[in-house]
Structures are given as C-alpha cells and as structure tokens.
Amino acid sequence: MFNSFDGSIDYEILQTDAENLLVQYRENLRNRAETMLNKSGTDITRMSSQEIQKLLFEFQVHQIELELQNEELNRTHQELLASRDLYANLYNLSPVGYLTLNKDGVILQANLTATRLLNHPIEELINRKLAQYIDASDQDQYYLFLRRLAAERTHQSLDVRLKSDGSEITYVECQGKINDINNNDSEIWLTLNNITERKRAEETIANLNKKLAQKVLKQDCDLSLSNQNLTQLVEELKHSKQQILEREAKLNSIFNASVEGIITCDMSCKIISANAAVETIFGYTEAELIGCSINKLMPLSQDKCSHRERKSYRQEADMPKVLGRIREVEGMRKDGSAVPLDISIAEFTLDGQDYFTSIVRDVTQRKMQELQQREHLEALSHVMRLGLMGELASGIAHEVNQPLTAIVNYAQACLRFIQADQPDLAKLRSILEKTHDQALKAGQIIHHMRDFVRSKKIHRSTADINALIENAVSLSITDLKQYNIQLCFNLADNLPAIYVDSVQIEQVILNLVRNSIDALKDVSHNKQRKLFIQTLLNDDNFIEVKVKDNGHGLGESSQKKILTPFYTTKSSGMGMGLSISQSIVKSHDGSLHFASKAGKGSTFYFTIPVRRKSNDA
C-alpha cells in the first residue's frame, strides 16, 4: 500500500483490502459452522439438547472471536484512514517535489510542491513530459539522465534549470530511481529539490573566490613587481656603489696622474691636499705643504685670500663669465726660482664648509713656444711686406706702362713740332694736354690700383687645412688672452688634403684672424667677445674656411671698398692685407668673400679647391 521511495499511500488499494477482510470474515464464520457440523457426523435433528447446547456455545465463542476480529479490523481500518490522511498531508506539504514518471518521462503523479516548482497545476502536468518544463540548455543532460536510469537501474542525480517566465531562474536537484511494476513495465520515481539558494550562494561564493583570486593575483603581481623593483634597485645601488668606487679610483688616478697641479685650500688659504704634479712643478712634497698657506707657492696670491677678496670672489664666482677663467701668475719653486703659471680657481662646499681648488700649470714651455711663435710671426710679417712690395711693383709696372709709353710718344711729337720753323701751337697745345692727362692717369693708377699680378711662383705642397689654422691661430694666442676673446673652433673631421703654398694660406688665415681681433678690441667689456673659426667641405667640393667675429661690423660704404687696395678702416695700416689675401686665394683658384652687418659682426670666408698634385699647374 505504501510507496517505499517517496512515502505516498495508494488509497484505492487500502479500501479494497478492508472490504476483502469483511467478506473473508463472513466466509470464515460460515465455513467454521459447516466444519463444526461436519465434525459431529450426525444430523442436528438427531443431536441431543446437550450437544446442541454445546454446539451453540462453540458458535457463540466463535461469533465473539469473529466480532472481536471485526472490531479489530474496523479499528485497523480507522487507523489506516487516519494514516492515509497523515501521509497525504505529508506527501503534498513536503518541501520536496515528488513525481512519478513512466519510462518515457511522462508525468503520472505529482505532489503540490512539484506543481509549485514547475509553476503549473497538476491537471496540466499529468500526461505531459517533464522535459517540457526543463530549460533548453539542460535538456540534453536530462535525456542522458533518463538513459542512465534505464541502463544502469541505479539511483541517479542531476542538477537542472527549470523554464522561467522572465522571473529568476529556478535550479532543482533531480534524484531518480526505477520502480518495476511487473515484468513488462516500470515507472520512475523522481524527487525535485529546490537548490536555487544554494546555487546562488555557490555563484556568489564563486564570484567572491574569483574576485579574491584576482585580488590575490594582483597583489601577488604587485608584490612580484615590487620585489623586482627592489631587486633592481639593490642591483642599481650595488652598481652605483661600484661606479662610485671606480669613479673615486679613477679620479684619484687622474688626480695623481694629472700634469696640472691641483691644490685644495680652505677659506683661510691653508692647503689641505695637493697632487703629485705639485711636487713636479714646485719641488715640495704633499706632506711639506699640508697646513701651509698657499702664499708659500704663489706669493702674489696673498691679496687674493684676504677677507674682502674672498667675499668678492664668492660673489663673482656666481657669474658664468668668471667661472673657469685662467689667470697668469708667477709661482715660487722650493729652490727659490720663479715659474710662470696658468691658474684657475673653483669654489665648492663640502659638509657645510667652503673650499676652493686651484689648478696650476707650468707654462714655461709655452712661453718658449710663444717666443718662437713671435719670431715666426715676424718672419711671416716680413713675407707679407715683401709680398706687398712685389704686388705694388708688379701692379705699378703693369698699369703705369701704357700711360708712360703714351707720355714718351707725346713728348717726342712735341719735340718735332717745336723744331719746325712755324710750329702749330694749337696741335702742340692738344698734345701737351694729352700728355698731362696720361700723367694724371699714371698717378691715379698708383693711388687706386685694384688688381695684382698673379704670375708669381707658388711653392705648393700637400697640407692639412685644420693644421694650418691651428698654426696661424697659435701666433695670436697672446692677443686673444690680452683682450679676453673667447675662441671657438668647429673644424670638420677627415677633410681631404689640399695642395697649396702653406706659408701663403697660413698668412691669409692669420690676416683674417688679426682683423677680427682688431675688430673686437673696441667691443665693450660687458659683452662677451667671440671669435669663431669653422672648416667644411661644401657641395662644390671646395674646402671652405670661415672666420667670424661679433664685433661692430662694417657699414654699407665700407663693405663696398673693403677689398679695394689701400682702403682700411683702421687708424693705422696700409689697407693691403685683404687685397693681398684675395690675390693669394685667387692664385690658388679659390675665392674670398665676406658678410657683415653693422652692430652684429663680420664673417670672412674663402674657398680652396680639392685637387690632386698631378692636376696642379
């Protein structure tokens, strides 16, 4: 009568069993009576009253037994009816949905919980397949679930989603079991347990776990990155420390290997350190100098270390134009002899204390070279004077030749007219006037000569233009220092060699440099005086040399005459330097040009062709 899988009651079977018990009770009573009569073996009519009484007594006893059994059956029937109602309530009010399906999955029975889960009344559920109420995405798993039940005939479990009408999705846990009705048929007992809350909780936990994993992963990545950065920082610090040690060793090596003497003093002019070059220059060891005044080495610097001068020095040291300035002083060796020095001073602060470092260089050799260079300059000047005289002589001879010839011819004509008996004074006057004009022309040629003879013999050789520039500039170093002119080079590397008269080209460069120096002399001390020299190879395969200054420049009238012989803007000078330079450049198949703007400075540049020796005349 009871469903062993889901606890439900078959009420029709229960009613049928109760009726069958009553019929059986009556049948047993009749059979008992017949049995007792048969046992007596006699006809009741033949029985004695005692036997009849005995038989009636037995019948009464059996009747009482049957009545008792009947009461027991009625009581049992009532209990069964009560149990039926109880189990019916339990079946319908259970929180678990109960379904009975045939082997094809058609719903045969369902409790109230199942109807609520499937969201349809029982009338619509009966004789319909359960698959109609399962979400389409889970139907394949559901059919596999039914196949496993039929094949394995063991308890199976499956989680599926039910179809929704737009509301929240419902998740149910299906647990199924096969119940064999007879040899030819079977049915499926199925429970539906609502696990939506559990699924949501699992999804929430999964999301939280995912977020937690992401957060942990991010923190792990951040920690890894921080660890890498720290590791890199440690390596960089180690590398920096190593670099500092190497730099310190390098600086110490440079400090001790430097050919310049490096002397560090405090603000009271007491020497606190000196490198090995100081001993070479002055003859004192470092131990002999520590704690001594720097005046011991440079007596002329005593006033530089006075309080006023130190204060003034600190103020001037903030000005970029004073930084790195080189001064010439005279030092005193240990043996008492004097030594010419170049000195530059730099101030620095270490641990709150002010110090200054003097870098000194023995310039004895340079002084000797300057003397030799002056001698070389005098030789070049002599060459220039000789060249000028040659140019003047050649120019006068060439240009004055025609007017002198005309004058001679006119004079001979005059003599012939005078010797005549009756000279033609009109013709004589005309000839004398022409003679006068030719004499004036000769004078103008002398004072306004423009061209120079180019047939002079040139002694050419292979030369490096940058080397020629350095040689020429070295002759003017003293003037550059004297007038505080900043010299800047921009000499191109790997320039091809030129085939020129080196002395003449050097003379051209020197002339342009000295002109720029003369132009910069009168520039105000408040303005930085600059001289810029550049070499390059232009697009025409000519080497170009530029000499540029930031002097006062040339006016328009001066620009028109600057290359004219005997024209000069200087208070003293012949005005032939640029003219001769132009002649020299042209004799080398080059050209001399200039660009100038009043108040902005001037740029003079010349070009020299690049040729092989075999191509030169």
Side-chain angles (χ1 to χ4, degrees), residues 375-391 456 459 501-508 510 580 584:
E375 294 175 352
H376 186 193
L377 180 59
E378 292 176 358
L380 287 176
S381 298
H382 180 65
V383 171
M384 176 179 277
R385 289 192 296 271
L386 292 177
L388 177 59
M389 293 174 63
E391 292 289 341
K456 180 176 62 175
H459 301 283
D501 188 326
S502 301
V503 175
Q504 290 188 358
I505 297 301
E506 187 175 335
Q507 181 63 48
V508 172
L510 178 61
I580 293 175
I584 292 173

Side-chain angles (χ1 to χ4, degrees), residues 6-113:
D6 57 8
S8 61
I9 304 172
D10 194 338
Y11 301 112
E12 294 179 357
I13 295 175
L14 182 63
Q15 182 67 27
T16 301
D17 290 343
E19 292 176 354
N20 289 337
L21 286 175
L22 291 175
V23 172
Q24 187 178 3
Y25 168 72
R26 294 188 183 95
E27 186 68 25
N28 288 338
L29 183 60
R30 184 174 62 253
N31 291 336
R32 187 67 181 271
E34 291 177 355
T35 300
M36 292 180 67
L37 289 175
N38 291 332
K39 283 182 179 182
S40 65
T42 58
D43 190 2
I44 192 172
T45 56
R46 295 178 181 179
M47 293 177 64
S48 62
S49 57
Q50 291 180 350
E51 291 176 342
I52 292 172
Q53 287 293 329
K54 182 178 178 181
L55 183 59
L56 290 172
F57 178 75
E58 291 179 356
F59 276 124
Q60 290 176 352
V61 172
H62 286 295
Q63 184 178 1
I64 292 171
E65 290 177 354
L66 290 174
E67 289 177 352
L68 292 174
Q69 291 179 0
N70 187 36
E71 291 178 357
E72 182 67 24
L73 287 173
N74 288 331
R75 187 167 54 254
T76 302
H77 179 65
Q78 294 297 327
E79 291 177 354
L80 289 175
L81 292 176
S83 298
R84 181 191 68 182
D85 294 337
L86 176 62
Y87 280 99
N89 290 332
L90 291 175
Y91 178 71
N92 287 312
L93 299 178
S94 171
V96 178
Y98 295 105
L99 294 174
T100 301
L101 313 177
N102 65 11
K103 60 183 180 180
D104 295 326
V106 177
I107 300 175
L108 301 177
Q109 288 184 344
N111 68 346
L112 294 178
T113 303

